[in-house]
Amino acid sequence: MFRCTVPQSMGFECVLLKVGARDSLGILLVYRPPRDPAVSLRELAEVVSNAALVSQQLIVLGDFNIHAETTLTGAAQDFMVAMTTMGLTQVISGPTHQAGHTLDLVFIVDSGTVRVEEQNILPLSWSDHHLICLSFAVASNLRRGGGPIKMVRPRRLMDPDGLLRSLGDLPVLETGDPVDVLADRYNSELARALDTIAPERPLSLRRVTSTPWFTEELAVMKRTRRGLECIWRKSQDVSDQARAKAAIKAYSVALRAARKAFTTARIASAANRPSELFRVVGELLRPPEAQELPDDLATRCSDFAHHFAGKVAQICHELDSSLTVVSAEVTEAPVGSILWDSFRLVLPDDVEGILGSVRATTCALDPCPSWLVKLAKDGLLEWFVAIINASLGQGSFPSCFKQAVVKPLLKKTSLDPLVCDNYRPISNLPFLGKVLERVVATQLQEFLDDTDFLDCSQSGFRPGHSTETALVALVDDLRRELDRGSVTLLVLLDISAAFDTIDHGILLGRLSGMGLGGTVLLWLQSFLEGRSQMVKLGDTCSDPWPLTCGVPQGSILSPMLFNIYMKPLGEVIRSFGGRCHLYADDTQIHYSFPPDSKEAPQMLNQCLAAVADWMRRNKLRINPDKTEALLVNRATDRGIGWQPVLDGVALPLKSQVRSLGVLLDSALTLEAQVFSTTRTQST
C-alpha cells in the first residue's frame, strides 16, 4: 500500500511515501534546498521530525547539497547532529558528484528493522550527480505490520466435508489394539487432516507499546468508560446516558492532559540545552520498543505453576505431619459384594447424543477445534465408538487425555489480579476425553440412583438438585426451628483447595466399598492416576507437573467423585444431633437447641471437633479463619453467651453470612439480600 503526502515547507521540496498500513515504512524524498542552508536546513530538520511522527520507520534520501565528506560547520553541522539525535544514520560512504563531493545522502533509522545490504554508486554521462543503487533489508515483522508473530489457521478454510475428505478411509481399528494406540492414532490423523485443509499461517499482532504516562488511574477510568459505553448503547434512560457521556468525556480529557503533561515536562527539562533537547525530541519521536510480552508471560506461567503445585504440596505436608495414627476406616476398603464390575458398551446413536450435549470447548492439546469435530461427527462416529468401547472394555483411560491445561480464574473480581493466591486452577481437558467421561458419568449416575448411595443432604451436581434446592431446604429447616422456639447455630465451613487434595487411595476405597469392581474400578483408578497439568497464558505454557492427588476441576467426573468422597461427613454430623446441607465442597452445619440449653455448647463443639478430625484423616484442610457462624434467633438482641470452637479457634458470631451467594441474617428477613440485589441492579 502506497500513500503520498507533500510536507509543507518554504525552503525546499520533498515528498513522503508510506509503504504498508500499520507500522509502515516511510520514505522522505528531498530536493536540494534552494535558499540559504542556514534557514532551509533548520526547516528540513523540523519536517523530518514531523515525518517521523507519521511513519515509525523512516528513510530520508535526496540531494541535500551538503559536503558530507568534509568536516562540517555551522548549519550543516547542526543539521547532521539533529538527524543523529533523532536516531537517523547517514549510510552513503563515497562521492556522489563528479567533483568528488558527497552531496546525495541517505538516512535510515538505526533500530535494526531496516538496514542496507548492498550499495553501488555509478557515474552518469548525462548528469553531474552519480546514480546511487541501494538494496534494503526490511525485518519481516515490519513488512507484516510490526509486533510479534502468531501462527493461526484461517477459520474459513476449516470445512467439515474437507476435513473428512482429507482423512480419507480411516485406518482399520483392531479390537485388540490398546486404547492408548487408538487415541494417539486419532490425534495424529486428525492433526494431519487439519494441516492439509487449513495450514497455519503467520499473523502479525499489534505492537505493544510502553506508555509511561498511562497511569493506573487512567486504566481504571478506561475500564469504567467501557462499561458505561455499553449502558449508553443499551439504556433508554436519559440519566444513564448523561452519566455515561460525562464519564467518557472525563476520560478523554484526562488522557489528553496526561499525554501532554508528560511530553511538555520532558521537553521543558531540556529547554536550555539544545543537544539534550534534540535527544529528548528524537526519543519521543522514535517508535517505542515493544514490551517483552512473551518473557513476561513465561514468568507469569511459571509463577502460577509453582503456586498451584506448592499450595497443594504444603497442605498435604501439614495434614500428614498432624496425623499420628490413621484410622482403618479411612485406609481400608470395606469388604462387600461387587455390584458393578463392567461398563455397558456404547452404540453410534449413544455417542451422537453425547456429542450433541457436550460443549464444544477446545483444549490447546486437541488436534482439531471441537466445533469442527462436532460438525464432522457423522464421519467420525465409527472412530469415537471404537476408542470409547476399547477404553471401557480394557478398563483404561487414554494417557493422552490425562494432561490438563490450567487456566487461572480470579476468585472474585474485587481481588488483586497480581496475587496468585487470588486465583483457582480450572482445568481445560481434551474434547474426546470429556466425551468419554460423559459416557462413564451417565452410567455411574444410574448406579448411584439405583443404590441410593449419595447423602440425602448433598445437592451438588445431581439431577434435580441445585443451589436453589439447597438454599430452600436450608432456610426451611431454619424457619421450622424458629417456629419451635429454638435457637440455631449455622456454621459455614471453608475447605482449602478441596478438589485438589483428595487422596486417591481413600477415594478408591470409597468406590470399592460402594460395590464397584472389575474393569469399572480399574478404569476409575486409571482415570485418577498418571495425570499432569500445565498453566497456559496466551500462547505461553509452563512446564507440566505431575498430580499425585486431587481430581481436576473442570472435568465431568470430578464433581461426582467428590460427592462420593464426602459421603461419610453427613453421617458424622448427624451422629451428634446436627444437620447439614452440602453443595460440592460448600458444607453448612446447623445445630438447633433451646435458648436455655446447658448441653448445647458441649455437643456442638464435639460435633465440630469430630468434623475437623474427619477432615484431617481424609486429607482435607479446614480453614477456621474463613469459616463463618450465624446465630439464628427471633430475639436478635440476645446472644447465647458462648462461641463455637473449630479446630481450636473460636468462631465469632456474625450478623449476616453469605450462603451459596445469598445473604442470610439472624432473623431470616432476607432484607440484606434484597438490598444487595436492588443496589447491584441500580448501578
Side-chain angles (χ1 to χ4, degrees):
M1 174 181 178
F2 292 87
R3 285 186 291 174
C4 177
T5 59
V6 180
Q8 297 296 317
S9 176
M10 296 177 63
F12 59 91
E13 299 174 3
C14 62
V15 176
L16 176 63
L17 302 174
K18 287 189 65 180
V19 182
R22 293 181 311 181
D23 295 337
S24 56
L25 177 63
I27 303 176
L28 185 64
L29 304 177
V30 179
Y31 180 68
R32 76 166 65 180
R35 298 198 306 169
D36 180 9
V39 177
S40 60
L41 289 177
R42 187 169 59 249
E43 293 177 349
L44 177 57
E46 182 179 350
V47 172
V48 171
S49 66
N50 291 331
L53 289 175
V54 178
S55 296
Q56 294 187 355
Q57 302 294 337
L58 187 64
I59 299 176
V60 183
L61 68 162
D63 178 8
F64 291 82
N65 204 22
I66 294 175
H67 291 199
E69 80 283 0
T70 63
T71 300
L72 299 176
T73 60
Q77 181 186 29
D78 292 341
F79 174 75
M80 295 296 286
V81 170
M83 297 292 278
T84 302
T85 56
M86 285 188 286
L88 291 164
T89 301
Q90 207 284 115
V91 297
I92 299 300
S93 57
T96 65
H97 190 266
Q98 63 183 14
H101 302 302
T102 305
L103 308 179
D104 304 278
L105 309 178
V106 177
F107 298 84
I108 64 173
V109 175
D110 56 1
S111 62
T113 55
V114 180
R115 68 180 187 276
V116 177
E117 284 193 335
E118 187 177 353
Q119 177 181 150
N120 292 311
I121 303 176
L122 305 173
L124 296 173
S125 59
W126 46 269
S127 174
D128 57 349
H129 285 262
H130 295 171
L131 173 66
I132 301 174
C133 300
L134 296 174
S135 175
F136 292 104
V138 183
S140 60
N141 65 330
L142 175 63
R143 291 198 303 268
R144 297 192 59 81
I149 301 297
K150 179 180 180 180
M151 301 303 292
V152 298
R153 299 184 190 274
R155 181 160 180 152
R156 59 184 175 81
L157 300 179
M158 296 189 208
D159 172 51
D161 295 330
L163 180 71
L164 294 177
R165 284 194 299 270
S166 298
L167 277 173
D169 294 332
L170 301 180
V172 177
L173 302 177
E174 301 293 341
T175 56
D177 283 349
V179 67
D180 281 339
V181 173
L182 300 180
D184 289 341
R185 195 180 303 164
Y186 162 83
N187 284 338
S188 61
E189 288 294 316
L190 210 59
R192 178 193 59 78
L194 185 64
D195 284 336
T196 301
I197 65 169
E200 288 187 331
R201 298 179 180 180
L203 174 67
S204 176
L205 305 178
R206 293 187 62 185
R207 184 184 298 275
V208 181
T209 57
S210 57
T211 49
W213 47 268
F214 193 79
T215 62
E216 182 59 30
E217 290 78 11
L218 285 171
V220 172
M221 292 179 70
K222 184 177 181 179
R223 289 194 293 269
T224 305
R225 184 203 65 175
R226 286 177 176 172
L228 291 171
E229 282 176 341
C230 295
I231 295 177
W232 187 11
R233 288 193 295 266
K234 296 178 182 179
S235 177
Q236 301 298 322
D237 187 83
V238 177
S239 60
D240 285 346
Q241 295 179 351
R243 185 161 52 90
K245 289 180 182 178
I248 294 170
K249 182 178 180 180
Y251 168 77
S252 301
V253 171
L255 189 68
R256 288 195 298 269
R259 185 189 294 126
K260 182 178 179 180
F262 176 79
T263 304
T264 303
R266 291 289 308 277
I267 294 176
S269 65
N272 297 324
R273 294 168 291 169
S275 60
E276 180 67 8
L277 179 60
F278 272 117
R279 187 189 68 79
V280 170
V281 172
E283 197 173 290
L284 292 174
L285 297 179
R286 195 175 303 153
E289 296 296 329
Q291 296 178 355
E292 297 296 328
L293 189 58
D295 291 343
D296 293 343
L297 284 179
T299 302
R300 188 69 167 155
C301 280
S302 179
D303 290 344
F304 272 121
H306 284 95
H307 169 73
F308 292 142
K311 181 179 180 179
V312 173
Q314 179 67 23
I315 292 175
C316 293
H317 174 73
E318 292 175 359
L319 292 170
D320 289 341
S321 60
S322 66
L323 284 176
T324 54
V325 179
V326 181
S327 170
E329 178 266 327
V330 174
T331 59
E332 297 179 4
V335 178
S337 59
I338 296 178
L339 304 177
W340 185 27
D341 61 359
S342 62
F343 291 104
R344 183 177 64 251
L345 299 184
V346 298
L347 299 173
D349 289 344
D350 301 326
V351 177
E352 187 173 13
I354 290 175
L355 285 172
S357 62
V358 174
R359 292 179 59 192
T361 53
T362 300
C363 173
L365 303 174
D366 280 323
C368 180
S370 302
W371 61 266
L372 184 57
V373 171
K374 293 187 70 170
L375 290 177
K377 67 180 186 302
D378 292 340
L380 297 172
L381 278 179
E382 180 184 346
W383 210 336
F384 293 158
V385 171
I387 293 174
I388 293 171
N389 284 338
S391 175
L392 300 180
Q394 298 170 16
S396 176
F397 188 75
S399 300
C400 60
F401 299 154
K402 292 185 181 182
Q403 189 173 45
V405 176
V406 172
K407 177 184 177 182
L409 180 65
L410 196 63
K411 296 176 182 177
K412 296 180 181 178
T413 56
S414 58
L415 297 176
D416 186 353
L418 299 179
V419 179
C420 291
D421 201 39
N422 293 334
Y423 291 80
R424 62 169 54 93
I426 301 300
S427 299
N428 195 1
L429 300 161
F431 178 73
L432 185 53
K434 289 189 290 186
V435 173
L436 178 53
E437 281 190 63
R438 179 61 62 86
V439 171
V440 173
T442 300
Q443 298 187 33
L444 179 58
Q445 186 62 57
E446 293 175 2
F447 176 81
L448 294 174
D449 293 341
D450 292 341
T451 58
D452 196 23
F453 178 81
L454 292 180
D455 193 294
C456 60
S457 62
Q458 176 60 264
S459 295
F461 307 101
R462 297 175 63 185
H465 296 71
S466 63
T467 52
E468 288 83 356
T469 59
L471 283 166
V472 168
L474 173 64
V475 174
D476 183 63
D477 286 346
L478 297 178
R479 288 193 179 278
R480 287 176 184 274
E481 293 299 333
L482 281 180
D483 293 340
R484 295 190 185 101
S486 300
V487 175
T488 301
L489 259 175
L490 174 63
V491 179
L492 308 180
L493 298 180
D494 182 85
I495 308 174
S496 300
F499 275 60
D500 301 321
T501 60
I502 286 179
D503 184 270
H504 292 167
I506 297 174
L507 176 56
L508 289 171
R510 298 262 201 279
L511 296 170
S512 176
M514 63 188 279
L516 303 188
T519 54
V520 172
L521 191 60
L522 284 175
W523 190 95
L524 291 169
Q525 181 177 355
S526 175
F527 173 79
L528 293 171
E529 296 177 349
R531 304 195 74 95
S532 64
Q533 61 187 27
M534 60 182 178
V535 174
K536 186 174 188 293
L537 298 174
D539 292 328
T540 306
C541 295
S542 70
D543 293 331
W545 71 95
L547 300 178
T548 57
C549 60
V551 290
Q553 297 190 53
S555 83
I556 294 173
L557 271 175
S558 292
M560 300 179 68
L561 296 176
F562 186 83
N563 286 350
I564 294 171
Y565 194 81
M566 297 290 287
K567 205 270 188 174
L569 180 59
E571 300 169 5
V572 172
I573 295 171
R574 286 187 289 271
S575 67
F576 289 90
R579 303 185 67 179
C580 65
H581 290 278
L582 301 95
Y583 189 90
D585 61 333
D586 286 309
T587 303
Q588 302 166 94
I589 303 172
H590 56 94
Y591 186 79
S592 301
F593 52 90
D596 55 354
S597 173
K598 304 298 183 184
E599 297 81 11
Q602 181 180 2
M603 289 297 296
L604 179 61
N605 287 334
Q606 287 179 356
C607 176
L608 294 178
V611 168
D613 181 62
W614 185 91
M615 293 283 185
R616 275 192 298 271
R617 289 187 289 111
N618 285 271
K619 305 300 182 68
L620 297 172
R621 186 177 74 175
I622 202 166
N623 192 346
D625 294 332
K626 293 185 179 180
T627 296
E628 297 181 320
L630 175 72
L631 178 65
V632 180
N633 186 6
R634 291 200 183 278
T636 55
D637 58 339
R638 185 175 64 189
I640 52 177
W642 53 273
Q643 289 179 307
V645 177
L646 176 63
D647 208 18
V649 178
L651 303 178
L653 301 181
K654 296 196 170 184
S655 59
Q656 63 184 37
V657 296
R658 187 177 293 276
S659 172
L660 298 177
V662 173
L663 289 170
L664 302 177
D665 55 81
S666 298
L668 298 181
T669 63
L670 296 179
E671 291 179 356
Q673 175 64 23
V674 172
F675 175 75
S676 174
T677 302
T678 54
R679 183 181 59 183
T680 302
Q681 292 178 348
S682 63
T683 56

